[in-house]
């Protein structure tokens, strides 16, 4: 969620390739990930009383991310422990690659962390299986930090199971340094189409003698969601079903294959690998492409990895003739509390601190994305670095041009959507399946997982 889902998904740390993980997990349960395979299992527990303890308390807190996030979060924890000296916070963190499998294992074993960094793809799944504490009924959570509309993005079946830590939106990341070195000019990125990007991609390939290609028009579920919206559809319906037409989704994958064939994009193997590589090995960082989809909050991480190249955020292309109002702004990630916690009151204090404390939020900045709480956003805006300010301005522009209602949570059973997308993309790119066939297979498989989890 994110070139990954989330999003919201800082992958600066090195780690085992998710391609290896995907292939290993594909052999299990018909190709579903461990977290999806456990969607029918209860992961709840008996929650402790929602009152502050008189004695010392130890909380476990877990998150995914890279080195910059780890360092900032450790500093935030130190601030929290200074303010609440009776509470000790034990940190657990990983990169995205192994985070969800480890969380699923600990939750199923009755040993879930107290405070959990969560994602739109997993929130409903854990909530439905009783794995999360309803913050809406806690006396120690300060809901006034957020608008009701913002809190609604973390609600499921009436319960508040996720507090939005940030908001983010999909953008195109351009390596301006390479574009300038090649003597090329970008099309008008405020009005460009996918056809314009394809044409520019071929120009990049010609100008570089084939050493650099234009773009890879894929990036986790974010691009399929926007592609569906450009066809006046949604990936998921409000009823939790898979709503996109298989031919529409297949058309995105066939377009990607065509770009690979004509030189606008690199070869199929590079494209497939790009969907699972850590950020610091991604094609835009290694100079294999000059334009890549990205969550806007990842600008700083990409620039740090790119070794001084100038990167900038621009709008996503649209389909010729499609409405330009297709964008969405979503929580980059959430803070959730496990239903297994024995200290929900202290856990709620920690969540409040992370999203609302003035000193803490200035320290965390926009690394997890632009803060979801308006007051927090105003608090940190003057101290943001230029690249974070660029992400903030991009978010503000997208917020003025949104299409329809906010994205629904990914339904229970859909946590493996990224791995499933990856497998069907490979089928089309390597010529083993047509776009419509792969689209139908994706819809059928994911619909089956959602149905079996309900």
């Amino acid at each position: 969620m994110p070139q990954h889902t989330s999003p919201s998904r800082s992958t600066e740390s090195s780690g085992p390739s998710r391609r290896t993980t995907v292939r290993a997990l594909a052999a299990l349960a018909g190709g579903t990930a461990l977290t999806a395979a456990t969607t029918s299992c209860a992961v709840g527990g008996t929650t402790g009383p929602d009152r502050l303890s008189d004695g010392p308390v130890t909380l476990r807190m877990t998150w995914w991310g890279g080195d910059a996030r780890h360092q900032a979060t450790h500093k935030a924890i130190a601030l929290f422990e200074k303010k609440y000296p009776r509470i000790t916070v034990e940190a657990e963190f990983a990169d995205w690659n192994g985070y969800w499998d480890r969380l699923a294992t600990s939750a199923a074993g009755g040993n879930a962390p107290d405070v959990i960094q969560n994602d739109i793809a997993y929130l409903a799944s854990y909530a439905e299986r009783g794995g999360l504490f309803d913050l809406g009924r806690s006396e120690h959570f300060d809901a006034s930090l957020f608008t009701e509309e913002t809190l609604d993005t973390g609600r499921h079946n009436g319960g508040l199971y996720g507090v939005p830590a940030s908001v983010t939106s999909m953008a195109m990341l351009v390596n301006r340094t390479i574009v300038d070195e090649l003597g090329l000019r970008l099309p008008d990125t405020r009005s460009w189409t996918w056809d314009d990007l394809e044409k520019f991609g071929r120009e990049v390939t010609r100008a570089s003698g084939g050493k650099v290609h234009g773009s890879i028009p894929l990036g986790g579920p974010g691009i399929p969601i926007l592609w569906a919206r450009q066809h006046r559809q949604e990936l998921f319906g409000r009823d939790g079903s898979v709503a996109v037409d298989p031919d529409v989704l297949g058309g995105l994958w066939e377009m990607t294959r065509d770009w690979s064939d004509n030189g606008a994009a690199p070869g199929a193997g590079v494209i497939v690998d790009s969907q699972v590589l850590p950020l610091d090995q991604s094609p835009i960082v290694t100079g294999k492409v000059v334009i890549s989809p990205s969550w806007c909050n990842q600008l700083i991480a990409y620039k740090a990895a790119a070794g001084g190249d100038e990167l900038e955020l621009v709008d996503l292309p649209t389909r010729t003739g499609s409405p330009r109002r297709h964008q969405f702004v979503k929580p980059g990630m959430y803070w959730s509390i496990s239903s297994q916690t024995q200290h929900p009151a202290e856990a709620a204090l920690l969540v409040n601190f992370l999203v609302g404390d003035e000193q803490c939020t200035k320290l965390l900045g926009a690394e997890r994305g632009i803060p979801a709480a308006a007051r927090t956003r105003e608090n940190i805006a003057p101290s943001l670095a230029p690249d974070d300010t660029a992400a903030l301005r991009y978010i503000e522009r997208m917020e003025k041009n949104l299409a329809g209602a906010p994205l629904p949570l990914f339904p229970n059973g859909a946590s493996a959507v990224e791995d499933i997308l990856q497998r069907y993309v490979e089928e089309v790119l390597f010529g083993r399946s047509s776009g419509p066939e792969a689209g139908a297979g994706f819809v059928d498989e994911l619909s089956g997982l959602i149905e079996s989890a309900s």
Side-chain angles (χ1 to χ4, degrees):
M1 104 58 199
Q3 307 160 11
H4 303 292
T5 82
S6 175
S8 42
R9 237 175 214 185
S10 207
T11 52
E12 301 94 318
S13 296
S14 61
S17 166
R18 282 189 62 246
R19 188 175 189 185
T20 304
T21 305
V22 169
R23 294 194 182 283
L25 294 171
L28 299 173
T32 61
L34 174 60
T35 46
T38 59
T39 52
S40 61
C41 303
V43 292
T46 302
T47 310
D50 187 28
R51 62 173 181 267
L52 296 174
S53 303
D54 294 329
V57 167
T58 297
L59 298 175
R60 291 165 54 222
M61 170 183 166
T62 187
W63 67 89
W64 72 83
D67 290 341
R69 180 169 301 168
H70 302 335
Q71 293 170 13
T73 309
H74 279 296
K75 292 178 182 177
I77 288 172
L79 283 177
F80 177 79
E81 291 177 333
K82 183 178 181 180
K83 183 173 182 178
Y84 299 99
R86 291 190 303 101
I87 306 174
T88 299
V89 180
E90 295 180 348
E92 301 175 9
F93 49 89
D95 65 9
W96 180 269
N97 296 349
Y99 180 84
W100 296 104
D101 288 346
R102 188 169 76 177
L103 180 60
T105 300
S106 62
N111 191 36
D114 301 275
V115 176
I116 298 166
Q117 186 174 289
N118 216 330
D119 184 78
I120 193 171
Y122 294 86
L123 191 63
S125 174
Y126 274 91
E128 282 194 16
R129 291 181 289 140
L132 302 178
F133 173 71
D134 180 2
L135 275 153
R137 60 184 179 87
S138 173
E139 297 180 1
H140 304 281
F141 169 65
D142 182 9
S144 69
L145 288 167
F146 301 89
T147 65
E148 281 301 311
E149 291 79 8
T150 300
L151 286 181
D152 282 346
T153 64
R155 298 189 198 276
H156 183 67
N157 290 340
L160 179 61
Y161 297 109
V163 173
S166 63
V167 290
T168 191
S169 189
M170 286 296 295
M172 281 295 192
L173 198 60
V174 178
N175 189 317
R176 175 64 71 175
T177 299
I178 296 180
V179 172
D180 291 346
E181 287 175 351
L182 294 174
L184 299 175
R185 289 187 61 185
L186 279 175
D188 180 359
T189 57
R190 292 293 184 97
S191 63
W192 65 342
T193 66
W194 293 104
D195 291 340
D196 294 330
L197 178 53
E198 178 187 15
K199 179 181 177 182
F200 179 74
R202 294 198 303 269
E203 292 176 359
V204 169
T205 302
R206 286 195 297 269
S208 68
K211 295 179 180 179
V212 186
H213 292 80
S215 181
I216 296 174
L218 297 175
I223 294 298
I225 290 171
L226 287 163
W227 180 262
R229 286 184 158 212
Q230 290 180 5
H231 288 77
R232 296 179 172 85
Q233 298 182 22
E234 294 283 357
L235 184 59
F236 295 114
R238 298 291 155 184
D239 60 355
S241 65
V242 183
V244 67
D245 186 306
D247 289 354
V248 167
L249 193 56
L252 171 63
W253 301 336
E254 288 191 335
M255 181 186 78
T256 306
R257 183 194 60 204
D258 292 345
W259 287 19
S260 180
D261 290 344
N262 67 29
V270 173
I271 296 175
V272 168
D273 285 344
S274 74
Q275 303 305 293
V276 297
L277 288 171
L279 182 149
D280 59 358
Q281 299 174 34
S282 62
I284 195 165
V285 168
T286 57
K288 293 180 180 178
V289 301
V290 297
I291 301 175
S292 178
S294 168
W295 298 107
C296 65
N297 63 292
Q298 292 187 310
L299 176 61
I300 282 185
Y302 273 105
K303 288 190 74 169
D309 282 5
E310 182 61 31
L311 305 181
E312 64 183 57
L313 299 169
V314 301
D315 292 6
L316 266 86
T318 59
R319 291 176 59 243
T320 301
S322 72
R324 293 207 61 81
R325 292 176 64 89
H326 58 266
Q327 262 287 11
F328 62 87
V329 172
K330 76 171 190 72
M333 58 199 67
Y334 301 88
W335 290 114
S336 295
I337 294 176
S338 169
S339 63
Q340 298 174 9
T341 184
Q342 295 306 297
H343 304 288
E346 285 81 3
L349 288 180
L350 178 54
V351 170
N352 278 340
F353 188 82
L354 293 167
V355 299
D357 180 86
E358 183 174 343
Q359 188 177 4
C360 176
T361 54
K362 282 185 177 179
L363 187 155
L364 292 174
E367 198 284 330
R368 281 181 168 86
I370 302 304
R375 192 169 73 206
T376 300
R377 191 184 296 188
E378 293 171 1
N379 172 48
I380 73 166
S383 60
L384 288 177
D387 292 327
D388 282 335
T389 300
L392 173 60
R393 299 290 175 254
Y394 185 85
I395 285 288
E396 290 176 337
R397 192 155 53 81
M398 294 303 103
E399 287 177 332
K400 296 176 182 177
N401 195 36
L402 299 178
L407 288 185
L409 295 173
F410 286 20
N412 187 16
S415 301
V417 60
E418 192 163 351
D419 294 334
I420 299 171
L421 280 169
Q422 173 76 2
R423 287 192 283 108
Y424 286 103
V425 166
E426 289 190 28
E427 291 297 305
V428 176
L429 291 181
F430 289 114
R432 297 191 291 263
S433 177
S434 70
E437 290 171 341
F442 168 85
V443 171
D444 288 346
E445 181 174 342
L446 190 56
S447 296
L449 289 173
I450 293 170
E451 182 178 351
S452 66
S454 63

